[in-house]
Amino acid sequence: MKNFIKIASLLFVGSALTSCLKDTLSLDPANSTNVVEFKNPSSFVSPYGSKYALYTKAFDLAPENDFPITVSYSGANVAPEDITVTLGTDAAALTQYNTEQKATYDLIPSTLYTLPAQVVIPKGQRTATVALKVKSSLFDFTKSYVLPVQIKTVSTGEISGNFGTILLSLNAKNKYDGVYKPTGTMVDVSNAAFISLASASQKVEYTLETISATKCVLVDHLYFNSAIAPFWTGTGVSGYGSFAPVLEFDPATDKIISVTNYYGQPASNTRSAQIDPSGVNTFTASTKKIKLKYWMKQPSVVAAAPNIRTSWDEEWTFLRAR
């Protein structure tokens, strides 16, 4: 979670073409040298110019998830014989990425995954796939895990200088995680012009991102790419600084049992969040809809108890997984 605002998504094709200059190229495809490399395994999120390709993947909470990793004999030719590819990890690659990008990714412990040691690209073929097994139910949600996977050796051919090592950002998500379309109202007692984007007929999506087995934080990726609840000021889109609701669910009943502020209870600007107990406040598994009423309290603006500045009464409809 702590890195979601640090990286900007780029198109994989453009970045791949830029970095491919390190491998042998030829204007005549028939004369190109094949290389053994990883194929794109998931969403590509490396910044432009990064030495290593970083991909991100979110898993449902489970004792074990299979994540396919494909190695490719890339170039003009198919494999001339069975090619044995030995796989391993390269912690130094993650250290270098963190240093270059000023990132804080954590090396995933070996107890949380199983990586096959070898894969064979059959003669006459171009690719082969193995299953990385990920134990997402055991993840520490305070960590941002990355697995640096490396092609160690190949029995035939050359290892790619660009995609012979890749970084896999592995995240766990609970069943409430996803992208939702909200409808409903927002009332700010300090400024009547402030209303919900839905009420103003503006485009809006909420993303719930997992921060624990039972908690999600509301993130806006349309306007701010940050943990924040956007709203309409009467003339444009804004959001309350240092305020984003964290929803805590009871997995046995799917009831929302608390709403707190991601930035603190209270944050430095005195903003805190609280559930409005008069609401339905639940997730319905069959429809994947959320009904929620909550408040933002801010004593520095509303001095009289209970210090409620803003109220939300919303229904969120599930759109897609993130």
Side-chain angles (χ1 to χ4, degrees):
M1 176 65 200
K2 61 189 174 184
N3 288 292
F4 73 87
I5 61 174
K6 296 182 181 178
I7 52 179
S9 296
L10 299 177
L11 290 175
F12 170 73
V13 174
S15 297
L17 291 175
T18 301
S19 59
C20 274
L21 295 176
K22 289 185 290 183
D23 289 330
T24 304
L25 298 177
S26 171
L27 294 178
D28 181 359
N31 294 327
S32 295
T33 301
N34 277 63
V35 293
V36 181
E37 61 185 8
F38 292 108
K39 290 193 70 176
N40 178 21
S42 55
S43 300
F44 182 81
V45 293
S46 291
Y48 179 81
S50 171
K51 176 177 174 60
Y52 294 105
L54 176 68
Y55 303 87
T56 184
K57 176 69 174 178
F59 300 93
D60 293 331
L61 295 177
E64 195 167 77
N65 290 283
D66 283 353
F67 180 32
I69 295 179
T70 300
V71 293
S72 172
Y73 187 63
S74 300
N77 304 307
V78 297
E81 57 189 72
D82 285 357
I83 301 176
T84 301
V85 181
T86 303
L87 304 176
T89 60
D90 182 11
L94 177 57
T95 299
Q96 183 173 343
Y97 185 91
N98 278 337
T99 300
E100 289 179 350
Q101 304 301 327
K102 296 181 173 57
T104 55
Y105 288 106
D106 302 288
L107 181 67
I108 187 170
S110 59
T111 54
L112 299 183
Y113 70 91
T114 302
L115 177 68
Q118 287 187 339
V119 59
V120 176
I121 302 173
K123 179 180 179 180
Q125 302 297 311
R126 295 183 180 273
T127 62
T129 301
V130 294
L132 169 68
K133 296 186 179 296
V134 180
K135 302 173 183 178
S136 56
S137 63
L138 301 179
F139 277 18
D140 179 347
F141 287 94
T142 67
K143 305 291 186 181
S144 295
Y145 290 133
V146 166
L147 176 63
V149 188
Q150 184 179 52
I151 296 173
K152 294 290 189 180
T153 64
V154 293
S155 61
T156 299
E158 301 178 7
I159 299 173
S160 170
N162 306 296
F163 300 106
T165 298
I166 57 173
L167 308 180
L168 303 178
S169 175
L170 306 176
N171 306 293
K173 58 181 181 179
N174 58 39
K175 65 179 178 179
Y176 313 105
D177 191 296
V179 182
Y180 294 79
K181 180 177 179 60
T183 56
T185 60
M186 185 194 100
V187 176
D188 185 324
V189 299
S190 71
N191 193 325
F194 292 178
I195 61 175
S196 71
L197 288 173
S199 296
S201 300
Q202 301 295 314
K203 185 176 181 180
V204 57
E205 290 181 354
Y206 288 168
T207 300
L208 282 184
E209 297 194 3
T210 298
I211 57 175
S212 81
T214 59
K215 293 181 180 181
C216 291
V217 61
L218 189 157
V219 180
D220 166 68
H221 286 296
L222 286 180
Y223 301 103
F224 298 102
N225 200 34
S226 180
I228 197 169
F231 61 86
W232 185 252
T233 66
T235 58
V237 179
S238 187
Y240 295 112
S242 298
F243 183 81
V246 173
L247 279 57
E248 181 177 7
F249 298 85
D250 178 351
T253 64
D254 288 335
K255 288 283 188 181
I256 301 168
I257 57 177
S258 76
V259 180
T260 54
N261 184 8
Y262 178 72
Y263 297 97
Q265 284 284 100
S268 58
N269 57 9
T270 77
R271 290 171 178 165
S272 62
Q274 183 178 322
I275 195 169
D276 178 349
S278 71
V280 176
N281 301 325
T282 193
F283 169 86
T284 302
S286 60
T287 60
K288 303 197 78 172
K289 283 189 176 182
I290 291 173
K291 291 186 177 181
L292 173 64
K293 293 178 73 174
Y294 68 101
W295 300 310
M296 182 182 77
K297 295 187 172 186
Q298 190 172 5
S300 62
V301 175
V302 180
N307 315 114
I308 297 170
R309 174 179 171 179
T310 308
S311 303
W312 286 265
D313 183 358
E314 295 184 318
E315 180 175 284
W316 303 356
T317 301
F318 183 84
L319 294 178
R320 61 186 180 276
R322 69 176 177 96

